[in-house]
Amino acid sequence: MTLSSLWQKVWHGFSTRVFTGYKPVPHKSQRFLPRADSVRKRPQVGELGGAARTIACDSQRGFDDVKPDGPRIWRGPEVAVRIGARLPASLRPYLPMPMVEYYADLIESIGCERPGDQLELFVTPDCEESLAGRLAECGVGEADTLAVISPGAKFGASKCWMPEGFAAVADRLIELKGAKAIITCGPGEEPIARQIGAAMRREGLVWDTPLLSLGELKSLIRRCDLLICNDAGPRHFAKAFGVPVVTLFGPTHPDWTATSYADERIVRTDIDCGPCQQKICPLGHHQCMTAITPEIVYQAAAELLQRRAESHQSASREHVHG
């Protein structure tokens, strides 16, 4: 099968199985793909200022310019459309869907077996040893309840919850759950981690120097009892290792990255301007994040810790009586 014929098969199956399955929603801020049968002619794609500029063509409704600052482009034999782009106003917007299902539909449409959404990650002995040494230096033992806070997000500032909010939740976990709290960060996120540490009333562990490697971060999340983070990569580490996670959502729609993970709690607020999918709040108020209170986040965290403790107790009883 030639590459061209393979693509023809993929696109045909993908469009009929995925795009036509979207459901309309009334909110004007949703800007997602239309049904495939709404857009038929292949548009022209040119270059403008070094960024791709797509013209979404519809045979009955005309053309609509797509700005060059949007997400990636799908190009196929029938249509090339920028995912997430604003299409003609006469086309109704559609609900997002989990990207894992999006791609699973894609590969299933060409006859491949649906892979499921179970994640699998591995750690290395050197990272495990490095982490164990660092935890020991900080006085964190195997029996300690360990909460990890990951306050960054490479997407942009709009995804990040307030440092004082993370600090308040960490203080409550220390005071009411007897937890040890570690604040991690990636390159460039050190100021956020330090602000959280400075705002805490209790002693937290700010791991900003040296920064954890990606492998050490995996080992840390695998070891912890709870992760609190923004909508960023570490939440998926938590699912892979079976660790409870509280994920804070602001400008992004949670349905795009839904994980179907029973031990994840999504915390977000509904506001008129969201989810905008913008890296920086275009209105300057960042209300989608500032409206999230420490109390709501703490309650989600406490519930997950309780579930984990009960699960461990149940497993211990079965082991004794087994």
Side-chain angles (χ1 to χ4, degrees):
M1 181 182 293
T2 66
L3 182 60
S4 176
S5 61
L6 176 61
W7 172 248
Q8 294 267 352
K9 184 176 181 181
V10 168
W11 183 260
H12 174 73
F14 188 43
S15 62
T16 55
R17 297 172 69 90
V18 180
F19 294 161
T20 57
Y22 284 148
K23 299 178 180 179
V25 292
H27 201 291
K28 64 182 181 180
S29 68
Q30 305 299 320
R31 300 178 296 158
F32 305 121
L33 283 174
R35 284 172 25 177
D37 58 6
S38 297
V39 183
R40 285 303 180 194
K41 293 182 180 178
R42 180 179 175 85
Q44 297 177 350
V45 179
E47 294 295 320
L48 179 63
R53 178 189 182 190
T54 306
I55 305 298
C57 171
D58 179 77
S59 58
Q60 297 180 353
R61 298 181 177 89
F63 294 87
D64 182 52
D65 264 328
V66 177
K67 296 180 181 180
D69 57 352
R72 61 190 180 280
I73 295 173
W74 275 102
R75 291 187 175 91
E78 294 182 328
V79 62
V81 145
R82 187 184 296 273
I83 293 179
R86 183 179 294 281
L87 291 161
S90 56
L91 291 179
R92 291 186 298 175
Y94 290 83
L95 284 174
M97 67 182 296
M99 293 306 294
V100 290
E101 299 299 325
Y102 195 80
Y103 290 116
D105 281 343
L106 171 60
I107 65 166
E108 191 179 41
S109 71
I110 59 172
C112 297
E113 183 179 351
R114 197 174 190 84
D117 63 355
Q118 180 60 47
L119 302 181
E120 195 172 26
L121 278 180
F122 301 93
V123 295
T124 60
D126 58 326
C127 288
E128 290 282 280
E129 182 179 354
S130 173
L131 175 70
R134 194 161 179 178
L135 288 173
E137 289 176 4
C138 295
V140 179
E142 286 294 327
D144 288 321
T145 298
L146 179 58
V148 170
I149 293 175
S150 179
K154 292 298 183 183
F155 175 85
S158 64
K159 267 193 179 185
C160 296
W161 195 37
M162 311 302 111
E164 58 270 24
F166 281 118
V169 174
D171 282 335
R172 294 201 67 180
L173 288 172
I174 294 170
E175 293 167 357
L176 302 180
K177 296 296 181 180
K180 298 289 182 70
I182 293 178
I183 298 93
T184 68
C185 55
E189 297 170 351
E190 296 93 337
I192 302 174
R194 291 166 189 158
Q195 287 176 46
I196 295 171
M200 290 179 63
R201 292 179 288 101
R202 300 289 183 172
E203 183 180 359
L205 303 170
V206 179
W207 282 12
D208 59 334
T209 306
L211 293 175
L212 292 172
S213 68
L214 188 61
E216 289 170 330
L217 178 61
K218 288 193 297 180
S219 291
L220 176 63
I221 292 175
R222 179 174 176 267
R223 157 63 183 87
C224 77
D225 298 285
L226 174 73
L227 173 67
I228 303 176
C229 62
N230 301 309
D231 171 27
R235 69 181 281 233
H236 302 288
F237 291 3
K239 176 182 178 179
F241 292 127
V243 171
V245 55
V246 178
T247 308
L248 309 177
F249 272 81
T252 51
H253 200 301
D255 286 355
W256 284 119
T257 54
T259 63
S260 67
Y261 180 38
D263 282 333
E264 178 177 47
R265 297 293 178 269
I266 300 294
V267 179
R268 63 185 296 268
T269 57
D270 289 319
I271 58 174
D272 290 340
C273 56
C276 68
Q277 304 290 142
Q278 301 299 310
K279 296 182 178 182
I280 298 175
C281 177
L283 301 180
H285 54 58
H286 206 194
Q287 189 178 351
C288 61
M289 280 305 209
T290 59
I292 296 175
T293 66
E295 177 63 25
I296 295 173
V297 177
Y298 172 76
Q299 290 298 332
E303 186 254 328
L304 286 174
L305 284 176
Q306 182 64 30
R307 279 171 51 95
R308 187 174 178 84
E310 291 173 356
S311 176
H312 286 177
Q313 290 172 3
S314 176
S316 297
R317 286 194 298 268
E318 289 179 4
H319 178 73
V320 169
H321 296 295

